[in-house]
Amino acid sequence: MILETTMALALLVGGGATMRAAGMRGWGVLPWGLLAGLGMYVVAGSLLVLLGAPAAPALALAATALGGAGLWVWRWRAGADVRMRGAAVVGGLAGTAAATVLLRASGLVTWHVDSLVYTNLGQAIAAGHYVDSVGSYSLSKRLLTVPLVHAPAYYQGEYYVRSITPLIALATAGVLAWVVVRACPPEWRRWSGLVGAGAAVLLLTVPRMMLHAFYVNGHLVTGTAVMAATGATWLLATRREVPRTALIVAVALLLPVVVLTRAEGAILAGIVALPWLVLEGTRRRDRVIVLAAIGVPATAYYAFAALELLGEHPIEEGGQGGPAAYAIGLAIGLAALVAAAVATRVDAPSWLRWTPQVGEIGAWLLLVALVALKGTEVLVASAEAAFWSVDPVHGAWGATIGILAAAGIVLWAAARIPIVTVLRYSVTTFVPLALLLAYGRDGAYRMDPADSLHRMIAQIVPTLVLAVVVAACVAVPRWRARVGPAVPADAQTSS
Amino acid sequence: MIARAPGSGHGSPGAPVRLLVVLGALATLIVLNVVQLVAIDASTPSTFAVFEERPHAGIVELSMVDGSNAASRYAMTLALGHLAPGSTVIITDDGEGLVDRVDERLYGYGRADQVREVGDDIAAELADLGAHAYVAASGPAGSRGPAWRIVLDDRNPPVLAEDDEGAVIDAIRAGDADDIAAGPARELALVAVAAGDPAYAGEPENVLVETSLLAGWDPGDAP
């Protein structure tokens, strides 16, 4: 209990101090701080693990807390307004500690045999043996975030940190509410808080999200980081009164989490960032930071994995997909680094604005080509598995996500929504991406609660909730947009 | 085409009506979620059920069900981690007949301090291990791995409790791992042998055997 409380507070202190130092104020520091702290811990921990440092989890937690606190002190001494109310700080820390104790004591947990792969790697990390032991199966499929998140349990003779996943789920709900509140029309005033709270409760009560809130796996943390980065970049693109530096810092800390959690993480991070990166008004400095936040972790991790592969003869059971995965990850990482280098000197040319749409259409065309080459068997079986998951009556995901998806399609088609591509892109590209992954692994998804598609849906549900609720709040019907005067001038942006 | 307009996106004048519609829709969907959640959680496989009553929250321990995917891959190394953490394990570099990805598990749940690979086969006939050998833990074959045993030397104190019908794994699964007699780090070899248990005749068995039991074993043999 002491260890888990210490871990939660280290993440909150480090991340919260960083977010406050970057200009965030109010209650948002709490959920954003916990997620930013998670990002700092994963970045520091991954670096230490890949360097073969002993006690990487302990050192990374210390680096997170001290780094964030040090940044805050530095900004304070420089004269920046980073003051925090003492009562709010004490309340936030005490509330987080109490939640940690309660969640641990609840004994609520869900798992699958994959969870054992992650927690076993966490033990090896904490013991300082990750580099000695890891093979191409785990390097290509399990990556670093989830093992690192649970590695501190080693210090108390356990195998996973019981409170951390539900704490991340609560922080996810908090960040969702914070973004929705800022997206609401100003005339809604305090009622916008109710809309934000409603969106948060809606997310947490989606039947399978409840499972993922306690699940020892990486789907929730991926979905969290994707939603938070999507919400942050949409606010950056559409709102003046937001803490811009803090949101950029949060995106820069969460995209490495996306890269380092799932096998498809590097692709997903690119999908999340792309629509915002190519906006004409995105600042050059911000563009460089976000590109580096994808390029550095992807290049470092997949270069390490490729080097490990060179020493593995033959490739171990289950790791046969490793070389292709490393090549894709490394290519994305290097491309992001090159783009970051170019972006330091050159603004994005205007034709780049079309790349999200071109990419999405390209993904569908690639899928059509694969269906033509390899047949429809994988496609049909995967479509059946998808419907089995989201069947509104019998599906384990419940009826809500189908309703949200339908509402989203209607809103996106029938109304003008500012910068809608940023908002919807990671949701709408999920379908072709999931099907391409099925063809990539030469295996259809199955009608099984343990099947990867059924679980991967958790990676987009937080963003689906965000995108639809925000769209419902800000959409302007197209007929009204055509009339002109009824539409605020600053809402006349293309969807 | 995307065009960026800072400060854009605020709602239309029909906001109060829209606010009510949004709040009403959210409330309706939340109620729908809660109603469905109860039924879905009750019909979900047990490890995926959030509100399942369990004897304890140790997911690794609870997964050690004889014959299961998890037990057949992890039980041997989990038992080693409880019995003799910090041990050195010697394996042949071709890994022939061994449970898959065993070095990762030896360093993880097995809490091995070192895993050394040797080029030559390590000979270990169960019948030739001698009178000093005793089985400290064992488990049956499963869907993803062979039967296994941890065989120690009673000349190396402390002598751990002799395993009886998988008692060590049973204790771990029950959350009583603290009751398992543990000892200091040892040197063991992991070998695949023909199954000693008639139930698995013809199948391989993984044996973690203390090297002092191996005939002709010279500590200098290990690289």
Side-chain angles (χ1 to χ4, degrees), chain A residues 107-113 115-117 119-121 123-124 129 132-135 137-138 154 158-160 162 185-188 191 194-195 198-199 201-202 205-208 210-211 214-216 236-240 244 275 279-282 316-317 353-354 357 392-393 395-396 398-400 403-404 418-419 421 449-450 469 472-475 480 486 488 490-491 493-494, chain B residues 1-20 22-23 25-38 40-41 43-52 54 56-64 69-71 73-74 77-79 81-82 93-94 100-115 144 172 177:
Chain A
L108 297 177
V109 63
T110 59
W111 79 98
H112 173 250
V113 71
S115 311
L116 274 62
V117 186
T119 53
N120 180 70
L121 287 169
Q123 300 284 301
H129 287 306
D132 300 328
S133 66
V134 72
Y137 167 80
S138 294
Y154 175 88
E158 294 180 354
Y159 300 113
Y160 73 105
R162 297 178 185 178
E187 61 268 29
W188 289 9
W191 293 102
L194 200 56
V195 178
V201 175
L202 173 65
T205 55
V206 169
R208 270 294 185 259
M210 186 67 85
L211 180 161
F214 297 95
Y215 187 26
V216 181
L236 285 166
T238 61
R239 298 289 185 270
R240 291 191 186 92
R244 306 189 71 81
L279 288 176
E280 61 183 343
T282 298
E316 69 180 12
E317 179 73 23
R353 292 179 211 157
W354 294 102
Q357 287 82 352
V393 179
T400 299
I403 294 170
L404 287 174
I419 318 294
T421 309
V469 173
C473 293
V474 304
R480 185 174 285 173
D490 60 1
T493 49
S494 169
Chain B
M1 186 175 87
I2 301 171
R4 184 171 183 271
S8 64
H10 290 158
S12 63
V17 174
R18 183 186 299 203
L19 173 63
L20 288 175
V22 170
L23 286 174
L26 287 172
T28 305
L29 289 174
I30 290 167
V31 170
L32 177 63
N33 278 347
V34 173
V35 169
Q36 286 200 304
L37 172 66
V38 174
I40 288 171
D41 197 61
S43 62
T44 287
S46 63
T47 68
F48 279 174
V50 178
F51 302 109
E52 175 96 355
R54 302 186 175 100
H56 55 84
I59 62 169
V60 178
E61 297 89 335
L62 288 170
S63 299
M64 295 303 116
N69 178 335
R73 283 176 156 164
Y74 293 99
T77 48
L78 190 62
H82 281 286
D93 59 9
D94 64 2
D100 63 346
R101 305 197 295 275
V102 72
D103 46 353
E104 208 170 275
R105 292 161 193 162
L106 286 166
Y107 276 123
Y109 297 148
R111 305 209 164 167
D113 184 56
Q114 196 173 17
V115 178
R144 300 298 176 97
I172 290 172

